């Protein structure tokens, strides 16, 4: 049995997991540094760079709103799930994770922009959190990796309470971003699935022996 390719694949996965770990540490560091600047200003950055529902001029804020929060409790509540789900979304490949993250940010941001109440300004990484949640639940099904199927099932069971946040439940909480971010993660699981080359059927030996038509 040739153990070389198996060992090489395992080493590559470990290397990607290490990169994923540091990427998520870096992302959380950025969020907390921004919060250190944002809080003393009375969250002026959140009001200026958050998503204002159905305001065309606020569309660019789709890209900035996930990095801003309203209060330390808001940031603390997002940090743990963001780290866990983000790492699990990235450990098979940071490049793929970047694409999935952009898709989720745009999807959840547009959902907030279209569906949120008029004159509301929404910020926070929770849309990204729920997007990663949806992604890791379905990734194994699309990639056909047994370990990811089991991982997705375990995460769905352990964090089943998160599904309640996909529907209106608490005033001031952006269920719109949660729901559309979750859907974006599921779409990301399909769009960024592993595409294996189709197996080519071996020729039938009996057919190969038949004389060819040369007319």
């Amino acid at each position: 049995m040739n153990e070389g390719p198996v060992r090489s694949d395992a080493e590559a996965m470990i290397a990607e997991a290490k990169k994923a770990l540091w990427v998520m540490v870096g992302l959380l560091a950025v969020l907390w540094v921004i919060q250190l600047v944002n809080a003393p200003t009375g969250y002026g950055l959140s009001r200026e760079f958050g998503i204002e529902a159905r305001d065309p001029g606020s569309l660019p804020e789709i890209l900035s709103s996930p990095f801003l929060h309203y209060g330390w409790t808001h940031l603390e509540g997002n940090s743990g799930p963001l780290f866990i789900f983000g790492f699990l979304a990235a450990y098979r490949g940071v490049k793929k994770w970047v694409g999935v993250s952009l898709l989720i940010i745009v999807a959840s941001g547009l959902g907030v922009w279209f569906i949120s109440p008029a004159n509301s300004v929404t910020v926070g990484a929770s849309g990204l959190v729920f997007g990663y949640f949806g992604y890791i639940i379905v990734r194994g099904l699309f990639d056909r990796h047994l370990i990811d199927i089991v991982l997705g099932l375990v995460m769905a069971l352990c964090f089943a309470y998160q599904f309640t946040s996909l529907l209106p439940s608490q005033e001031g909480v952006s269920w719109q971003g949660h729901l559309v971010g979750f859907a974006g993660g599921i779409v990301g699981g399909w769009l960024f699935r592993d595409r294996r080359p189709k197996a080519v059927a071996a020729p039938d030996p009996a057919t190969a022996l038949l004389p060819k038509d040369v007319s």
Side-chain angles (χ1 to χ4, degrees), residues 24-204:
M24 292 311 302
V25 169
L27 177 58
L28 285 180
V30 169
L31 295 183
W32 282 81
V33 168
I34 291 174
Q35 178 68 6
L36 287 171
V37 175
N38 196 16
T41 67
Y43 298 98
L45 293 177
S46 296
R47 290 190 295 272
E48 183 175 356
F49 295 102
I51 301 172
E52 185 172 349
R54 291 174 294 286
D55 177 7
S58 188
L59 284 172
E61 275 69 71
I62 286 174
L63 299 178
S64 59
S65 62
F67 301 94
L68 299 163
H69 291 81
Y70 281 123
W72 293 101
T73 302
H74 188 196
L75 176 58
E76 290 167 4
N78 280 336
S79 292
L82 180 65
F83 182 82
I84 296 170
F85 297 154
F87 171 77
L88 294 176
Y91 87 99
R92 279 200 178 272
V94 172
K95 288 183 179 179
K96 182 186 291 189
W97 171 84
V98 171
V100 171
S101 299
L102 288 174
L103 173 63
I104 293 170
I105 288 172
V106 172
S108 62
L110 287 174
V112 167
W113 190 86
F114 274 111
I115 308 173
S116 291
N119 302 317
S120 62
V121 179
T122 303
V123 295
S126 55
L128 198 53
V129 169
F130 279 88
Y132 289 148
F133 185 41
Y135 175 70
I136 62 178
I137 287 176
V138 303
R139 176 181 56 190
L141 299 176
F142 293 128
D143 287 350
R144 290 170 289 172
H145 290 309
L146 179 59
I147 187 173
D148 288 332
I149 293 174
V150 173
L151 183 63
L153 180 60
V154 170
M155 289 296 103
L157 291 175
C158 290
F159 294 92
Y161 66 90
Q162 295 277 17
F163 290 107
T164 61
S165 297
L166 298 177
L167 297 173
S169 57
Q170 183 178 346
E171 187 176 356
V173 175
S174 178
W175 63 268
Q176 298 91 345
H178 298 176
L179 179 61
V180 183
F182 184 79
I186 293 175
V187 172
W190 182 78
L191 288 178
F192 292 93
R193 68 193 184 279
D194 288 344
R195 289 173 170 82
R196 298 181 178 88
K198 294 183 178 179
V200 179
D204 187 344

